[in-house]
Every structure is written in structure tokens, then in C-alpha cells.
Amino acid sequence: MRISTTIFLTDETITPVRLARELEARGFAGLYLPEHTHIPAERTTPYPNGGDLPREYTRLLDPLVALGQAAAVTERLALGTGVTLVAEHDPIVLAKQIATLDHLSGGRLTLGVGFGWNKEEAADHGVDWRTRRDLTRDRIGLMRALWAADPTPYEGEHGRSVRASHAFPKPVRGGAPRILVGGAAGPVLFEHVCAYADGWMPIGGGGLSRTLPGLRAEWEAAGRDPGTLQVVPYAVVPTPGKLAHYAGQGVAEVVLQLPPGDERTVLKVLDDFHRYV
């Protein structure tokens, strides 16, 4: 099982360059980074985990820029977003950024797709909270049109379309980079996974033995090859028993949560996590 990591990288933590080099040197499989463009100071949306919102949420680096730095100083380390809030982006610009990073990294990028939890953040981007999932699907469709081998038009259902266009570079593997949808188990999320993604990124990784059969059934019902479904537990606090359980569920990659600390703090945890690699 591949052991990857995620961290809230900020202007106060270890740098992307140092972390990426240390991860690759220790044999970790990948680095995934989360996204919040901003956190409105006045908000009514509660923090999903309860209590006060941790400081690092307000100071996040842009994940694509940080992953670009990581790509430049590594050769094998996989790179991913966990997650990109696609609805908050101009899809034409985002398609270019994603394809460029995938191209420059030699096809190492995974696009983690999420729908968000902060209503005020989304509203500042002009996103209608009630339709954000459909908007995300629509924007993925537009980006896929730009990533297609031949100029392909796309008529969106949420106000954005693109005419048949020349758009380069293309994702290395053709069509799109690997796409994983993040979020809690349920029929709505699973429908999105089966419609346009390569798999699911369950946050925290709990309850897989209960939820995976439903996803696998829906995946097959959608006409997808059952052997291609990828499930990548994300932001996991590891124990040997937990990782063995994932392996028993057919999981090939797990993403461990690193603390949002300085260099000394993070490298100490990396040394501890190295036993799982």
C-alpha cells in the first residue's frame, strides 16, 4: 500500500520545497494539499469538526503553486489536491493550471475535487450553495472538453461554455489527470464519483467496510469497470490495525495527516510515520 501525506501548508509551517524533498528521500508516495482561497472573518458556517476554526485554515498557501514548487525539486513524488474547490474557480483558467502542473511534473498530479463546507467563502465566489455540486460537475465537463485531444466545444448548464479551442498542454495520461472526489459517503456523493471520477477520497477513512459495498454496486451499475475503482482514505491518523484494515478492503493508497507545524515538528512526525512506508 502506498503511503502518502497531507498537511495544511501555511506561511508559518515547513516549506513545500523542504517537505517534498524529505518525503521523497524517505520513500513516501505523495503529497496532497488542501485549499481555501480565504476565510471570511464574519461567518455563520460552523467548523465541521466542532469548536473554533484552527488558525491554519486562514493562512493556507495556494495548493497548485505549492505543488509546483514540490514538483520542481522531486522526481517520483506524486502530487495532489485534497481538495480543489472547483466551483470557486474559473474553469478555463483552472484547466490550464491543472494541465500545466501535470505536464511539468511528468503526469504526477491527482485532482482531488470537493464541494466545500464554508458557505460564506463560496458566496464570495458567486457560488449558489444549493447548486454547488451540479456546478462542480459542469465545470469538470468544461475542463474535460479543453483537455480533449481535439478541439471540443462545451455548452454548460450554469452559465459557462467554451467553444472548440486549442488548449495545451494536455494531461499526460490523456483526457484528464486522475480525479478523486472527496467527501462523506452517501448516494449524492457516490453518484458524482461514478459520473466523472476515478474514485473516492473518504475524509478520515472511517466506516469503509459499511460504505464501500454501496459505492462498488453503484460503480458497476454506472457501467464502470469494477477493477478500476480507486478508494484513497484521506487525512488519516494511522495505526497498524487501521492500515491493515484498509489493505483488507482493497485500498492501494492512504493519505496520512501531518501536523501544520514548523520544520522540526513535521520532520519528527515523518520519522514516526516512516515505519508505515
Side-chain angles (χ1 to χ4, degrees):
M1 189 161 56
R2 300 189 304 276
I3 304 298
S4 297
T5 62
T6 184
I7 183 173
F8 285 81
L9 281 182
T10 77
D11 57 328
E12 299 175 329
T13 65
I14 189 173
T15 67
V17 166
R18 182 62 193 277
L19 177 58
R21 284 173 169 158
E22 295 292 342
L23 287 169
E24 185 159 272
R26 288 167 167 79
F28 285 90
L31 171 63
Y32 291 74
L33 298 179
E35 173 183 54
H36 284 285
T37 56
H38 67 298
I39 299 293
E42 295 184 9
R43 62 184 180 84
T44 58
T45 308
Y47 175 45
N49 294 335
D52 294 333
L53 184 69
R55 174 184 176 87
E56 58 267 20
Y57 277 79
T58 69
R59 307 185 73 96
L60 283 174
L61 303 183
D62 179 280
L64 296 179
V65 174
L67 289 172
Q69 279 203 324
V73 297
T74 57
E75 296 181 351
R76 301 176 304 279
L77 189 71
L79 311 164
T81 60
V83 293
T84 296
L85 301 173
V86 172
E88 296 184 358
H89 291 267
D90 180 308
I92 297 174
V93 175
L94 184 60
K96 173 69 77 173
Q97 292 170 322
I98 290 167
T100 298
L101 179 53
D102 192 58
H103 168 74
L104 292 177
S105 68
R108 290 187 274 157
L109 183 65
T110 291
L111 174 62
V113 173
F115 308 113
W117 58 266
N118 191 325
K119 294 181 180 179
E120 291 76 29
E121 176 185 356
D124 284 348
H125 286 281
V127 175
D128 183 336
W129 191 251
R130 298 166 299 175
T131 60
R132 71 193 188 284
R133 291 183 176 87
D134 290 338
L135 176 61
T136 296
R137 184 205 304 265
D138 201 31
R139 291 189 169 175
I140 293 289
L142 189 152
M143 291 194 294
R144 282 187 178 275
L146 290 169
W147 294 332
D150 299 314
T152 303
Y154 184 83
E155 187 68 31
E157 297 179 358
H158 291 268
R160 289 304 302 270
S161 301
V162 67
R163 66 195 71 198
S165 302
H166 300 288
F168 292 88
K170 304 294 185 183
V172 170
R173 74 172 193 170
R178 182 173 75 150
I179 297 176
L180 301 175
V181 176
V188 174
L189 183 127
F190 287 171
E191 194 274 330
H192 280 261
V193 171
C194 297
Y196 58 79
D198 298 289
W200 177 34
M201 187 184 287
I203 311 302
L208 288 188
S209 58
R210 174 177 50 83
T211 57
L212 265 183
L215 174 57
R216 286 173 172 148
E218 188 159 343
W219 185 265
E220 292 190 48
R224 306 289 298 270
D225 180 350
T228 64
L229 175 62
Q230 300 178 48
V231 177
V232 181
Y234 186 82
V236 170
V237 178
T239 66
K242 187 182 293 185
L243 297 187
H245 174 69
Y246 292 152
Q249 296 292 319
V251 168
E253 180 184 8
V254 61
V255 181
L256 307 186
Q257 181 69 63
L258 293 171
D262 60 15
E263 186 173 299
R264 180 179 179 183
T265 300
V266 172
L267 295 185
K268 182 177 180 181
V269 175
L270 273 188
D271 288 338
D272 182 51
F273 284 178
H274 188 257
R275 57 185 162 147
Y276 301 118
V277 174

